[in-house]
Amino acid sequence: CALAAAFALEEAERTGMSAYILQQDASCSGFQHISLIMGDADLADTTNVTGDGSGDLYTRAAKAIADLDMSHTSGAIADLLKSQWDLITSRNAAKKVVMLTGYGSSARGIAIGWLQDLGFEVAIIISEDSDRGALTITQEPAAMPADHPLFDLFAAARFNDLDICEVAEELAHLYQTALYKEFPSIERFVTLVRESARAHFKDRGRAAAWRGPSGMSCVPAKCEMDEEVDSYRVQATSGSTRLSVSLGGNKVAHQAAGAAPNLIHSMDAALVHFAIIAANDDFGVAVAPIHDSFGTHMCDAERLAEIVRNQMVGLDHWDYFVDVMSGSWGRKVKAKNRGTRIADNAVLAGQHIG
């Protein structure tokens, strides 16, 4: 990106014009949608749905760990974590776990992801003493990748002969606890969607389907309660386009865990869909999207940001969420589960992308 920008500056100085595509990325788009669904003004400000654009969810969640009570953490692990405090409370270290937490991942799931990224092979060993089982290393890497955000922490854990699985799970738990303490609405949203999806699956023997804000149908083409079936297929259709994806496993827990991220992604897709249409049809602005990053020519960047903000308001998050829960999933959502509706003019004055 820096090299492309340098070429663009040279081109503009030489010719007075540039074809450079400026990408404007959303600030934690999933959490932006959650803030509007749950009416959490603090989360909206921290993810730049509202405010001056200075919010940073990852940094805030990382720094919040310092306020947690670590008295329950075993002495050796607590000492290790404190010795790596600058690393643990850094934005780079917290980013992945914060993202995955918002999508409903458990502390154990995040810990497993870290260890696999570091080259470890892990397994959950079930014993008579615990139905949950113990996370166990089955094979260690010859060397861990030094560019991993938490390399120094886990290298120190190995050097001090600590249980690296216990370290990973404890740290993931700390990050999640800090995030939920700062923003209780995130935990409420994830829990509400997960339990609604779980109940729907148990009641009807199939995963919950819904229609996205843009009209895209998210429908499980095959999903049965029989655990002998190893996989099912999910089809999404929009107009003449059909996407079919095979997913492994169809247990209730797997269905429920995927509900929150899939619902949020359907809203994010609709935002991109509507923004592209409005930009092209109403303003003649070309858009080159990459997931939740909106690219366009530099001269159109501010206009595109305004268009995205308008479309964010147009999604009407709370009413859409209630409609999905009650209409498609058969679950009532009580008003007490959300905060105060965030004013449209506050969203229109925010810095959603940049």
Side-chain angles (χ1 to χ4, degrees), residues 192-202 206-208 252 255-257 259-260 325 329 331:
L192 178 61
V193 175
R194 181 176 61 237
E195 294 308 313
S196 296
R198 187 189 303 274
H200 185 285
F201 194 104
K202 287 183 175 179
R206 56 183 172 81
V252 175
Q255 300 287 342
M325 291 291 103
W329 295 14
R331 303 292 157 185

Side-chain angles (χ1 to χ4, degrees), residues 100-303:
L100 293 176
T101 297
Y103 288 150
S105 293
S106 65
R108 169 161 285 182
I110 291 167
I112 291 173
W114 278 336
L115 295 174
Q116 290 177 336
D117 290 345
L118 288 164
F120 292 91
E121 292 186 12
V122 298
I124 298 174
I125 307 300
I126 305 296
S127 66
E128 295 181 357
D129 299 331
S130 173
D131 292 335
R132 183 170 183 266
L135 187 61
T136 306
I137 300 295
T138 58
Q139 185 172 329
E140 296 195 9
M144 296 186 297
D147 60 348
H148 190 280
L150 294 169
F151 170 82
D152 288 347
L153 171 71
F154 288 109
R158 294 180 82 185
F159 180 81
N160 290 285
D161 200 26
L162 296 177
D163 184 334
I164 200 167
C165 293
E166 188 177 351
V167 172
E169 288 197 87
E170 181 61 30
L171 180 57
H173 173 73
L174 286 173
Y175 275 127
Q176 289 198 323
T177 301
L179 181 64
Y180 289 152
K181 185 178 179 180
E182 287 289 296
F183 304 102
S185 64
I186 296 174
E187 185 174 20
R188 289 203 308 273
F189 171 78
V190 170
T191 301
L192 178 61
V193 175
R194 181 176 61 237
E195 294 308 313
S196 296
R198 187 189 303 274
H200 185 285
F201 194 104
K202 287 183 175 179
D203 291 346
R204 307 187 188 186
R206 56 183 172 81
W210 71 96
R211 188 176 293 277
S214 64
M216 181 179 72
S217 297
C218 302
V219 183
K222 180 179 181 182
C223 185
E224 304 171 7
M225 288 295 288
D226 184 0
E227 294 190 8
E228 296 299 321
V229 179
D230 294 327
S231 65
Y232 67 97
R233 297 179 70 80
V234 173
Q235 292 181 343
T237 58
S238 180
S240 61
T241 303
R242 171 171 291 184
L243 174 66
S244 182
V245 182
S246 294
L247 301 176
N250 66 354
K251 296 181 180 179
V252 175
H254 293 166
Q255 300 287 342
N262 288 335
L263 181 61
I264 289 296
H265 284 318
S266 71
M267 300 185 73
D268 221 16
L271 175 64
V272 175
H273 183 138
F274 291 141
I276 291 174
I277 291 174
N280 184 67
D281 292 356
D282 299 340
F283 301 99
V285 173
V287 184
I290 304 173
H291 185 46
D292 60 353
S293 178
F294 297 81
T296 191
H297 296 111
M298 289 185 286
C299 59
D300 293 323
E302 290 186 3
R303 172 59 61 84

Side-chain angles (χ1 to χ4, degrees), residues 320-336:
Y320 168 73
F321 180 65
V322 171
D323 183 61
V324 170
M325 291 291 103
S326 61
S328 302
W329 295 14
R331 303 292 157 185
K332 292 183 178 180
V333 180
K334 297 179 181 179
K336 68 179 183 180

